[in-house]
Amino acid sequence: MTDPHDTRPERDRTVIVNNDRGGSGGGGGGSGWLIAGLLIVVIVVGAFFLFGDRLTGGGGGGDTNVTIDTPDVNVPDVDMPDVDVVPDGGNAAPAPAPAN
């Protein structure tokens, strides 16, 4: 029901719905494919550097010889007396933990 004392004018409302997202006509999503493509390129480049020697045949397979020249050091034998070491206080065993 309408109120007979209502003096507001009636208005027509127009609703415009725009579903056009532009792009390739497939509903968008072009930036998602771009990010996915860049991610694949990064993974392939990383795998090449990580496993590159296996993919390209390695570095040559030559022998690796290491020569270490150390100086001759003559140390005389030193006789040390056998000494029993006892910590200060006279107990060799640690003190028991206090009871709570």
Side-chain angles (χ1 to χ4, degrees):
M1 281 180 112
T2 59
D3 187 12
H5 301 291
D6 190 11
T7 59
R8 290 183 289 175
E10 290 187 27
R11 293 185 185 175
D12 290 333
R13 296 183 185 219
T14 303
V15 177
I16 299 174
V17 178
N18 186 1
N19 288 332
D20 183 22
R21 296 183 184 186
S24 62
S31 62
W33 284 109
L34 177 68
I35 291 172
L38 289 175
L39 185 62
I40 289 173
V41 169
V42 167
I43 289 173
V44 168
V45 169
F48 177 76
F49 282 113
L50 185 63
F51 304 111
D53 59 341
R54 294 183 201 150
L55 295 175
T56 59
D63 290 338
T64 302
N65 295 324
V66 177
T67 303
I68 300 174
D69 293 328
T70 59
D72 292 332
V73 178
N74 294 325
V75 178
D77 290 335
V78 178
D79 289 331
M80 297 294 294
D82 291 334
V83 177
D84 290 334
V85 178
V86 178
D88 292 339
N91 273 337
N100 287 334

